Amino acid sequence: MKAAIFEYARAESIAQACSLLAEHGADAKLLAGGQSLVPMMAMRLARPAWLINVNEIAELKSSRRDGAVWVTGAGLRQVDVERDGELARAVPLIRQGLYWVGHIQTKNRGTVGGSLVHADPSAELPLVAQALGASFVLRRNGSERTVAAADFFQAPMVTATEPDECLAEVRWPVWQGERVGSAFDELSIRHGDYAIVAACAQVEVDSAGRCVRAVLGIGGAASVPVSAEAIARSLHGTQLDDTTIEAAVESIGQYLDPGSDVHATAEYRVHLARVLAARVLRRARDHAAGMARGTRA
Amino acid sequence: MNEPKSSVCITVNGVEHRCEVPTRLSLVDFLRETLRLTGTHVGCEHGICGACSVILDGDPVRSCLMFAVQADGHSITTVEGLANADGSMSVLQDSFCETHGLQCGYCTPGMLVATHSLLKTNPNPSAGEIRDAISGNLCRCTGYQQIVDAVQLAARRVAAGNGNR
């Protein structure tokens, strides 16, 4: 349980991290919070020849509103993001998802960007990013590109990030309406474990309670977190009553390709996805109604 | 290939240590084997059991999931640093003894670090909040109840200004 030997460098800026990546390419890994990478190194599932520490890079730790998006630096600690009240009001699903992530000792080190580039198909932050349609700003020596969540998550633990790229920031859409509600729920063996299945939803309703916008995401039941776009769209214009929601999520299996393991069969995962999808949609609806009452009061 | 090394300056329990360490040396191995501070226990070595918890710049973290080189320029408090200045046990440590909050003692340094950190920010935690704070620390002896009792006893003692028995 000891990591194999590696060369080490501490980057002081994103540019320096990118230069080091350009130099060492596929033999190098960025080390952020290390809560997934270090166990993999201990088990020798990962053996990078170079480890580039990005924990001391201040520019990776910004958090700011930029019009209709909230921009989080990739190096922000999960605990700091979870405690940020302004961010929680702007993009409530981030805090709602982080509630389920690990434990205080791992959240004190784990970063937002680290969890996203690790891209475990059951992980909470990738699910929220996929459902909301977040985008990812990837830097390499001398250039930058932005990748949509739909293109970012490619396979279990595989993202669009190239070996010489560093995730600099994540851009989360802010829904600016008055009646916006969201919810996250999951089933895991113990709190803090990876989800067997996770679901999240965000809805916006008009003054008559009609749904004008909705997203629904499912994690842990396919090779990447999925956004159930057709189901979410079918809810537009409805009152989001329980019967409508139940009927809409009936076809959730079309998005999923779950495996069977010691924790749950594939069939059970599809069943769970249906139950959790309906539950988060109902809660998001009620949350939106509560927001509207709060606004009037 | 030679073992790559790196120079570090790490403050542990208020004492500054400057040395050269192998880059792959975990922080827990640095504490135990380089500094001989064996109060911090090493259990699973992959971030599950919590026995290796230490306080990094004020926050509890797992020292098996950090390399010592990452602690360069940072401050660590280990379980040895939780005792009173005269070496006697802190109120929290003493409360663990009082309520039988430990049996084999393997998880105890991690439990103390986790609950010490909790009490710093939340001096009067509910049982649920205590359980949440120790959710990342495994104990196979106590069933956890006596640990919860210990933290509540410590909170009551501190609140009553009655640190010592």
Side-chain angles (χ1 to χ4, degrees):
Chain A
M1 297 302 284
K2 310 291 180 193
I5 58 175
F6 56 82
E7 298 283 349
Y8 169 83
R10 172 163 136 174
E12 306 293 341
S13 65
I14 299 176
Q16 194 191 354
C18 290
S19 297
L20 286 161
L21 284 175
E23 197 178 328
H24 303 294
D27 292 334
K29 285 287 276 180
L30 297 181
L31 173 62
Q35 303 301 290
S36 301
L37 177 59
V38 177
M40 288 174 73
M41 290 175 67
M43 291 184 270
R44 308 266 174 129
L45 296 169
R47 295 181 71 147
W50 272 86
L51 212 50
I52 301 163
N53 183 359
V54 296
N55 282 282
E56 312 293 335
I57 301 178
E59 56 186 319
L60 282 176
K61 295 180 182 175
S62 69
S63 183
R64 64 184 194 278
R65 177 82 177 256
D66 180 9
V69 294
W70 193 290
V71 186
T72 57
L76 283 169
R77 305 281 176 213
Q78 290 161 5
V79 72
D80 293 327
V81 171
E82 191 177 10
R83 287 177 186 159
D84 183 338
E86 234 182 300
L87 171 56
R89 278 188 293 281
V91 192
L93 269 175
I94 296 178
R95 179 184 280 181
Q96 290 166 338
L98 279 170
Y99 167 80
W100 297 95
V101 173
H103 309 282
I104 184 68
Q105 294 101 323
T106 60
K107 285 199 256 199
N108 276 334
R109 288 300 289 172
T111 62
V112 170
S115 170
L116 291 165
V117 295
H118 183 62
D120 188 293
S122 311
E124 290 80 3
L125 284 176
L127 170 56
V128 171
Q130 184 76 287
L132 288 178
S135 52
F136 297 79
V137 179
L138 298 168
R139 292 243 188 105
R140 62 154 58 95
N141 246 351
S143 70
E144 179 180 290
R145 65 183 178 126
T146 302
V147 178
D151 302 317
F152 186 76
F153 299 108
Q154 297 188 338
M157 290 154 171
V158 179
T159 71
T161 317
E162 295 290 338
D164 62 344
E165 284 181 317
C166 170
L167 176 64
E169 40 186 55
V170 187
R171 301 173 68 82
W172 308 86
V174 178
W175 290 22
Q176 305 188 68
E178 275 182 15
R179 299 174 180 81
V180 174
S182 61
F184 193 111
D185 202 0
E186 70 177 45
L187 188 82
S188 55
I189 298 295
R190 296 164 306 183
H191 185 99
D193 287 0
Y194 276 116
I196 294 172
V197 175
C200 71
Q202 184 157 293
V203 302
E204 180 176 356
V205 298
D206 64 16
S207 55
R210 269 190 308 265
C211 173
V212 294
R213 201 174 175 193
V215 294
L216 171 66
I218 302 290
S223 63
V224 295
V226 295
S227 177
E229 284 174 21
I231 291 180
R233 223 177 8 255
S234 77
L235 296 168
H236 291 189
T238 74
Q239 293 291 132
L240 292 172
D241 53 277
D242 290 0
T243 324
T244 306
I245 289 173
E246 295 290 336
V249 302
E250 197 51 43
S251 63
I252 195 87
Q254 66 180 297
Y255 294 97
L256 310 177
D257 181 24
S260 293
D261 61 25
V262 66
H263 298 303
T265 61
E267 292 74 17
Y268 182 60
R269 282 191 160 88
V270 173
H271 167 76
L272 271 182
R274 201 176 288 124
V275 170
L276 290 170
R279 188 182 295 168
V280 292
L281 283 166
R282 288 193 304 267
R283 287 188 189 157
R285 170 200 67 198
D286 294 345
H287 184 206
M291 295 301 281
R293 277 197 298 277
T295 306
R296 277 199 296 271
Chain B
M1 187 174 171
N2 290 329
E3 179 87 53
K5 292 189 173 170
S6 190
S7 297
V8 294
C9 174
I10 305 172
T11 302
V12 180
N13 301 330
V15 180
E16 199 177 274
H17 298 273
R18 285 175 190 276
C19 48
E20 196 163 67
V21 295
T23 56
R24 62 168 164 166
L25 184 70
S26 68
L27 178 59
V28 66
D29 285 344
F30 171 75
L31 294 170
R32 288 177 54 85
E33 292 175 19
T34 309
L35 302 187
R36 294 285 167 190
L37 290 170
T38 53
T40 303
H41 288 170
V42 55
C44 70
E45 291 194 281
H46 66 292
I48 303 298
C49 76
C52 69
S53 299
V54 298
I55 298 168
L56 168 75
D57 300 333
D59 299 316
V61 302
R62 302 200 190 293
S63 61
C64 75
L65 294 190
M66 274 184 76
F67 297 107
V69 287
Q70 290 175 268
D72 181 31
H74 294 276
S75 285
I76 308 288
T77 304
T78 67
V79 67
E80 288 92 342
L82 300 185
N84 297 326
D86 64 1
S88 62
M89 283 192 288
S90 70
V91 175
L92 179 63
Q93 289 171 314
D94 189 61
S95 299
F96 266 70
C97 296
E98 277 296 294
T99 63
H100 303 285
L102 66 154
Q103 288 179 29
C104 86
Y106 210 90
C107 73
T108 311
M111 289 291 181
L112 285 167
V113 161
T115 54
H116 171 88
S117 301
L118 170 69
L119 290 173
K120 276 198 113 166
T121 53
N122 182 356
N124 185 25
S126 66
E129 288 168 332
I130 296 168
R131 286 181 185 277
D132 188 50
I134 61 170
S135 65
N137 296 73
L138 298 181
C139 172
R140 302 291 78 178
C141 301
T142 63
Y144 302 99
Q145 183 57 48
Q146 298 102 294
I147 294 173
V148 175
D149 294 344
V151 180
Q152 289 184 313
L153 175 62
R156 280 198 305 275
R157 281 185 181 173
V158 171
N162 181 21
N164 300 310
R165 267 172 296 164

